[in-house]
Amino acid sequence: MHHLYKIAWVIRAFAYKFVFGSFGVISYIGQPLFLMGVRRIRVGRRVRIFPGLRAECHGDGSIVIEDNVAIGQGFHVTAMGCLRIGSGTLITGYVSVTDIEHEYSAIGIPVLQQGVDWRETRIGQNCFIGMGARIQAGTILGDGCIVGANAVVRGEFPPYSVIVGAPGRAVKRYSPEAGTWQRLVSNHSNEINS
C-alpha cells in the first residue's frame, strides 16, 4: 500500500510531461487541487511537489520552478509575470506566493471588479520558506533566505537573511567574514521596502 501512491505519482509525472511547459526528469507531483495556464508552468529536474498544489498563470504569466526544489502540501502560487523559484529551495506546507495585488481603492465597487497590479516576485536559490508563510507581491528573496513559519513577507531582502513576523522583517543575516549568523541591531533598516 505504501508504494501505491509513489506509483501514482510516477504515472502522473509522465502524463504531465505532455501538459506542462516542461517537466524535468525525476520530478513528481501529488494530486493537484487546481491548475490554470499549465503550458506556462516549467518544472525543473528532481522537483518534489506534495498534493494540494494550486498554481495559476494569469494573462501572460508564467511559473518557473528550478531544479531540486521540494514543495509541501497545499502550496498556492499565482503569477501574472514570470515568477521564479530558485533551485535547491525548500517550501514547507500551506505556503502562498504571488506577484499579483488586487486593487481596492474604489470604495463601493467589489474588489473583484477593480483589477489587479503586477509586482515582480522572486525566490532565490537555496531558500527555506516555513509552514504557512505568505510571500506577497513585490517580494524579492536573495539566495539562502530563511522565512519563518506564518511570516507575511513583502519587500526586497538580501541573500542569507532570516525573515520572521507579520509584517516580515529581517532579524538575522549570515556574515561571511565571521562565518556565523548574526542578529541585526535594527530590524527595519535592513530591508528595502518596495
Side-chain angles (χ1 to χ4, degrees), residues 105-129:
S105 57
I107 302 301
I109 298 175
V111 172
L112 283 174
Q113 296 174 7
Q114 292 191 47
V116 293
D117 289 326
W118 170 81
R119 298 192 192 289
E120 182 182 8
T121 302
R122 185 175 66 244
I123 297 174
Q125 298 180 357
N126 303 316
C127 290
F128 172 85
I129 313 295

Side-chain angles (χ1 to χ4, degrees), residues 7-131:
I7 293 168
W9 285 18
V10 169
I11 292 168
R12 192 177 298 115
F14 180 76
Y16 284 157
K17 287 181 186 298
F18 304 102
V19 176
F20 279 68
S22 63
F23 201 86
V25 296
I26 321 174
S27 290
Y28 60 84
I29 181 172
Q31 179 70 44
L33 186 63
F34 179 78
L35 300 173
M36 184 172 97
V38 179
R39 295 300 299 169
R40 294 189 308 278
I41 300 174
R42 297 196 313 270
V43 176
R45 297 168 50 91
R46 296 182 321 279
V47 171
R48 287 93 57 205
I49 303 174
F50 275 75
L53 169 68
R54 179 176 171 183
E56 305 169 35
C57 295
H58 296 268
D60 294 328
S62 63
I63 298 167
V64 177
I65 302 172
E66 295 181 354
D67 295 343
N68 196 32
V69 170
I71 297 174
Q73 69 276 15
F75 181 54
H76 185 187
V77 57
T78 56
M80 215 164 85
C82 180
L83 194 153
R84 183 174 296 271
I85 298 170
S87 64
T89 289
L90 169 59
I91 298 175
T92 59
Y94 307 105
V95 168
S96 66
V97 178
T98 186
D99 66 3
I100 301 170
E101 238 177 29
H102 287 272
E103 290 286 337
Y104 59 87
S105 57
I107 302 301
I109 298 175
V111 172
L112 283 174
Q113 296 174 7
Q114 292 191 47
V116 293
D117 289 326
W118 170 81
R119 298 192 192 289
E120 182 182 8
T121 302
R122 185 175 66 244
I123 297 174
Q125 298 180 357
N126 303 316
C127 290
F128 172 85
I129 313 295
M131 185 79 71

Side-chain angles (χ1 to χ4, degrees), residues 140-142 145 154-163 168-174 182-194:
I140 308 292
L141 296 181
C145 280
R154 179 193 305 274
E156 296 185 27
F157 295 87
Y160 306 104
S161 297
V162 176
I163 304 147
R169 65 194 188 287
V171 295
K172 286 184 182 180
R173 188 153 309 123
Y174 184 77
Q182 298 185 339
R183 186 164 298 281
L184 298 174
V185 176
S186 171
N187 294 336
H188 301 289
S189 65
N190 292 289
E191 80 180 57
I192 305 164
N193 290 318
S194 55

